[in-house]
Amino acid sequence: MSQLATWRTGSTRVLPGFGLSMGISVLFISLVLLLPITGLFGQLAGLSFAEYWAIITEGRVVASYMVTIGAAAVAAIINAIFGLLLAWVLVRYEFPGKRLLDALMDLPFALPTAVAGITLATLYASSGWMGQLLEPLGFQVAYTWVGIALAMAFTSIPFVVRTVQPVLEDLPAEVDEAAMSLGATDGVAFRRVILPHIWPALVTGTGLAFVRSLGEFGAIIFIAGNMPYETEITALMIFVKLQEYDYAGASAIASVVLFVSLALLLAINVWQGRFVRRLHGGKG
Amino acid sequence: MRRIGDAPVVRRLLIGAALVLSALFLLLPLVAIFAQAFSEGVMVFWANVSNTFTLHAIGLTLMIALLTIPVCLVFGVALAWLVTRFSFPGRRILQTLIDIPFAVSPVVAGLIYLLLYGRNGWIGTWLDGHDIQLMFAWPGILMVTIFVTCPFVARELIPLMQAQGSREEEAAVTLGASGWTTFRRVTLPNIRWALLYGVILTNARAVGEFGAVSVVSGAIRGQTNTLPLHLEQLYQDYNAVGAFACAALLAFIALLTLAAKAGLEWRAARREAFA
């Protein structure tokens, strides 16, 4: 109610630029973001439902969904654990090199995906620095789905760290002091006191990392080996169809990817909205 | 008072694990890029970088970034002003819509542009009739780059402008300042660092975009090859050292981006400490 009152009496009446900023924003969003999506539906309109269904359920395409979703899930779980560890260490402890470690966390966002791709492929190939160590032990990373998961984990690790970090920072010291003074061990106190606080942020960050992994292309194709039915990701299937000038096929598969990622984005936004409201007592 | 995880053993164990994993997972790839690029000496690196096709790719990449930044800047500021200074129905929807580029796979982003503006698309057919080619040419690369980078400036500005509130601007307007003067003299000084960081992020992504660009570029050497596409071609041609020379240039830009971010955060923390 109070928000509605300020809207009626306050800023909208005083500050200029409503029309201009609304005009620019709506024009830009319509032309750049929404109009191109209509092109996809235009292409799909030329397909009958049976044709559409046949394309999106073809064996090789279904195999690519499995590879993509499986590897993205593994990458998301790795990132949830590794990201939580990094966020915790960066917030709770002081140690030499902390600032550098903090800066390094953003590397996967700053580094172009193709650069990450060729670098990971070179490192984990059998002649690479990591490959030489891992292959005698029986771990083959490059050209397997493990490599795909690794590339996905690399490109999406900052999502978890940067979502959990601020929530941990805002946690008042009294929270752990209370738990510790009641005699809880570190493990119990973490699970019972800290985890419930950071849980929503951890889920949001992991969810964002998962969505990013589903769509990732540049970082993966070099290390994946791209064997049909085994190490082909769905983004590559779209690319392959395009190179064969099969625009209908590419669009059909793209519509599946688009639908899944937008639905997940929406779910994360709703989840996050609920959690923000709970923290701020109804506002937000 | 002791806090959770303060015991020396736990502390050392967790810091150690974080450092070792980060070194293997994040630092090692970074070192590997430069090690590979310079593996045959500085002269070979220089020869690779000063190659005609590489120089052309660098030029095209910089041009795309330079054209992308002002577009994203105007959109980002307009959208942030709109959603933080006014309350209207549909405000939340606008804020959700700008996240679309983050959720859409780059390949899908390239595809939807190709379908609309390519020869078979409904705008593309009309353009073709007027001898205008956008796809498989630099305008197409620019268009998809704007698509993938447009959220960055807005995403940096919105939380900051929300937190600052509009009291100062309202005061300026009440005292008779024009809208433009208010923006330039009151808003801009408050948001300039976030704006700068938004531009840096936009630049980093514009320079490095691969998936979307590879769909619409056609990747013609010396014509529509951006630096990430050029490095892919070199890598596929088994010229790893050449590919890593390009990768080192891009990694250098990434390092500058990280340094700028650390610098801006350090500044903000210092200002908070003195405030």
Side-chain angles (χ1 to χ4, degrees), chain A residues 58-121:
Chain A
E58 190 212 318
R60 189 172 157 196
V61 178
V62 172
S64 83
Y65 303 147
M66 297 300 181
V67 170
T68 311
I69 293 171
V74 170
I77 293 167
I78 294 172
N79 272 345
I81 300 166
F82 183 40
L84 180 59
L85 169 72
L86 284 165
W88 177 267
V89 166
L90 285 172
V91 171
R92 289 303 184 99
Y93 306 133
E94 291 302 324
F95 53 93
K98 178 175 159 171
R99 292 261 305 271
L100 269 178
L101 185 67
D102 194 31
L104 194 63
M105 283 309 114
D106 285 313
L107 179 72
F109 281 173
L111 197 68
T113 54
V115 174
I118 65 167
T119 309
L120 292 174

Side-chain angles (χ1 to χ4, degrees), chain A residues 7 32 93 106 176-177 180 215, chain B residues 2 4-5 87 105 113 261:
Chain A
W7 175 42
V32 175
Y93 306 133
D106 285 313
D176 3 353
E177 280 167 15
M180 297 305 275
Chain B
R2 213 169 75 77
I4 296 170
S87 185
S105 169
Y113 270 81
K261 181 177 188 221

Side-chain angles (χ1 to χ4, degrees), chain A residues 256-278:
Chain A
V256 175
V257 177
L258 190 68
F259 176 75
V260 170
S261 41
L262 290 183
L264 282 173
L265 178 73
L266 195 69
I268 293 170
N269 265 336
V270 168
W271 158 273
Q272 216 176 1
R274 214 184 55 184
F275 141 68
V276 169
R277 258 198 302 284
R278 207 178 62 203

Side-chain angles (χ1 to χ4, degrees), chain B residues 232-257:
Chain B
E232 184 211 6
Q233 282 182 351
L234 292 173
Y235 187 80
Q236 307 288 17
D237 292 346
Y238 301 100
N239 181 357
V241 179
F244 275 100
C246 298
L249 295 178
L250 291 166
F252 182 67
I253 296 176
L255 286 178
L256 289 182
T257 306

Side-chain angles (χ1 to χ4, degrees), chain B:
Chain B
M1 196 53 163
R2 213 169 75 77
R3 298 186 71 184
I4 296 170
D6 265 0
V9 185
V10 179
R11 216 182 98 93
R12 270 187 219 139
L13 204 70
L14 292 180
I15 295 177
L19 287 177
V20 169
L21 288 171
S22 307
L24 278 179
F25 196 53
L26 297 170
L27 195 60
L28 189 68
L30 191 60
V31 174
I33 297 168
F34 291 99
Q36 292 282 338
F38 291 99
S39 61
E40 287 173 15
V42 180
M43 293 313 289
V44 176
F45 172 79
W46 183 247
N48 277 319
V49 170
S50 57
N51 167 295
T52 325
F53 291 131
T54 309
L55 286 179
H56 185 274
I58 294 172
L60 180 64
T61 303
L62 290 180
M63 182 187 91
I64 297 292
L66 282 178
L67 291 173
T68 301
I69 289 168
V71 176
C72 292
L73 205 55
V74 170
F75 165 67
V77 171
L79 185 78
W81 182 262
L82 181 70
V83 301
T84 62
R85 294 299 178 253
F86 305 104
S87 185
F88 54 92
R91 199 170 64 103
R92 284 201 92 114
I93 299 177
L94 281 186
Q95 268 179 285
T96 307
L97 283 177
I98 61 149
D99 280 342
I100 288 179
F102 284 156
V104 170
S105 169
V107 175
V108 176
L111 170 74
I112 59 179
Y113 270 81
L114 184 61
L115 290 175
L116 188 63
Y117 296 99
R119 219 164 251 174
N120 302 316
W122 58 272
I123 296 181
T125 318
W126 182 87
L127 289 171
D128 208 33
H130 291 76
D131 262 343
I132 302 168
Q133 192 190 0
L134 298 179
M135 292 298 119
F136 306 117
W138 70 263
I141 300 176
L142 178 64
M143 290 160 84
V144 296
T145 306
I146 290 173
F147 178 91
V148 296
T149 56
C150 68
F152 288 108
V153 173
R155 273 299 203 89
E156 286 304 311
L157 290 184
I158 290 172
L160 178 73
M161 288 173 69
Q162 201 114 54
Q164 283 176 343
S166 54
R167 253 185 231 127
E168 290 181 31
E169 282 124 5
E170 279 163 26
V173 171
T174 315
L175 292 172
S178 73
W180 172 241
T181 310
T182 305
F183 177 74
R184 206 167 42 98
R185 304 284 291 271
V186 180
T187 313
L188 210 51
N190 280 335
I191 62 168
R192 61 187 162 175
W193 297 110
L195 205 60
L196 177 63
Y197 185 50
V199 167
I200 291 169
L201 284 180
T202 306
N203 176 63
R205 183 69 196 264
V207 163
E209 179 49 36
F210 177 74
V213 169
S214 68
V215 171
V216 300
S217 127
I220 307 158
R221 239 171 236 198
Q223 284 181 42
T224 60
N225 238 4
T226 62
L227 204 48
L229 296 179
H230 186 56
L231 86 82
E232 184 211 6
Q233 282 182 351
L234 292 173
Y235 187 80
Q236 307 288 17
D237 292 346
Y238 301 100
N239 181 357
V241 179
F244 275 100
C246 298
L249 295 178
L250 291 166
F252 182 67
I253 296 176
L255 286 178
L256 289 182
T257 306
L258 296 186
K261 181 177 188 221
L264 290 174
E265 270 172 2
W266 179 72
R267 230 196 97 87
R270 218 178 47 150
R271 264 179 43 183
E272 222 165 79
F274 283 117

Side-chain angles (χ1 to χ4, degrees), chain A residues 232-251:
Chain A
E232 264 181 342
I233 54 165
T234 309
L236 180 76
M237 289 305 309
I238 300 172
F239 199 78
V240 168
K241 296 267 178 203
L242 270 178
Q243 284 184 325
E244 294 164 354
Y245 299 102
D246 179 3
Y247 284 13
S251 309

Side-chain angles (χ1 to χ4, degrees), chain A residues 120-258:
Chain A
L120 292 174
T122 306
L123 273 178
Y124 288 89
S126 43
S127 59
W129 295 348
M130 292 300 282
Q132 278 175 345
L133 291 176
L134 293 174
E135 274 190 17
L137 303 175
F139 293 112
Q140 179 152 16
V141 176
Y143 318 123
T144 67
W145 75 268
V146 182
I148 299 178
L150 180 87
M152 286 173 169
F154 179 86
T155 48
S156 60
I157 181 73
F159 281 112
V160 181
V161 181
R162 296 304 188 208
T163 323
V164 174
Q165 215 177 356
V167 180
L168 265 182
E169 264 162 13
D170 286 345
L171 211 62
E174 295 88 64
V175 171
D176 3 353
E177 280 167 15
M180 297 305 275
S181 63
L182 292 173
T185 62
D186 279 350
V188 171
F190 180 81
R191 217 175 52 236
R192 303 285 285 272
V193 179
I194 307 276
L195 210 54
H197 268 94
I198 59 171
W199 179 247
L202 188 61
V203 172
T204 304
T206 309
L208 290 172
F210 181 72
V211 175
R212 168 73 196 256
S213 296
L214 288 184
E216 184 49 47
F217 178 68
I220 299 172
I221 52 163
F222 298 99
I223 201 172
N226 306 327
M227 289 276 293
Y229 294 97
E230 280 172 29
T231 55
E232 264 181 342
I233 54 165
T234 309
L236 180 76
M237 289 305 309
I238 300 172
F239 199 78
V240 168
K241 296 267 178 203
L242 270 178
Q243 284 184 325
E244 294 164 354
Y245 299 102
D246 179 3
Y247 284 13
S251 309
I253 303 170
S255 71
V256 175
V257 177
L258 190 68

